[in-house]
Amino acid sequence: MRKIMVIHGPNLNLLGVREPEHYGRTSLESINRKLAEITHVHGVSLETFQSNSESGIVECIQNLMDDPVDFIIINPAAFTHTSIAIRDALVAARIPFIEVHLSNVFSREPFRHHSYFTDKALGLICGLGPHGYELAVAAALHYLES
């Protein structure tokens, strides 16, 4: 069975209550549940992981080298702009991935405009709120079927 891993970065456990003007009112649990419904219909397994720790995310990605998945969807959150370590883990894992952001990072502060991941990602989805995750799953399923 094919498997997709969704990795959520720091503070995404606070979705629904943290800065709803940027991130909306949908909880992380609700996002994960919706993604599981979508993948289930397509006969694909979904795993999710959230960490506020850079090392936790690096270890999660490295563990995928021993327990492989077919695709990663990652919202690195604030680590987007700072983490060469997560970038290096993704490159080492050699698993295709899509970068997702709930808000439009390009309409926000200038420091949010740079990502350490975009040049290695198959694609970038930002500014579409929780629906962006659903679009990333649809793109991952299309990629896996082709």
Side-chain angles (χ1 to χ4, degrees):
M1 177 180 271
R2 298 216 178 228
K3 190 183 328 180
I4 296 172
M5 169 65 85
V6 180
I7 301 173
H8 306 282
N11 297 310
L12 293 174
N13 57 308
L14 300 176
L15 284 179
V17 295
R18 176 181 172 242
E19 298 181 83
E21 67 277 8
H22 291 297
Y23 306 113
R25 298 206 179 276
T26 305
S27 71
L28 185 61
E29 180 181 307
S30 178
I31 290 170
N32 287 339
R33 190 172 36 252
K34 178 69 174 175
L35 300 180
E37 290 170 7
I38 295 168
T39 55
H40 177 75
V41 168
H42 292 273
V44 174
S45 174
L46 180 81
E47 292 185 23
T48 62
F49 177 81
Q50 188 278 325
S51 180
N52 295 316
S53 162
E54 182 179 35
S55 64
I57 295 171
V58 168
E59 289 174 8
C60 173
I61 295 166
Q62 288 179 357
N63 289 338
L64 297 177
M65 295 169 75
D66 296 326
D67 182 18
V69 299
D70 299 291
F71 206 94
I72 296 171
I73 295 168
I74 184 169
N75 182 342
F79 291 138
T80 302
H81 325 292
T82 63
S83 184
I84 296 169
I86 295 172
R87 173 196 170 93
D88 288 350
L90 286 165
V91 170
R94 304 177 101 176
I95 301 167
F97 72 94
I98 292 175
E99 180 182 349
V100 173
H101 298 283
L102 294 161
S103 67
N104 180 351
V105 295
F106 300 104
S107 69
R108 298 186 61 197
E109 304 92 341
F111 71 85
R112 295 187 193 275
H113 299 180
H114 179 264
S115 167
Y116 279 102
F117 306 96
T118 305
D119 67 316
K120 297 298 181 184
L122 288 180
L124 166 67
I125 299 171
C126 71
L128 301 177
H131 187 62
Y133 282 103
E134 296 171 34
L135 293 171
V137 166
L141 291 170
H142 177 75
Y143 178 88
L144 294 174
E145 290 170 1
S146 51

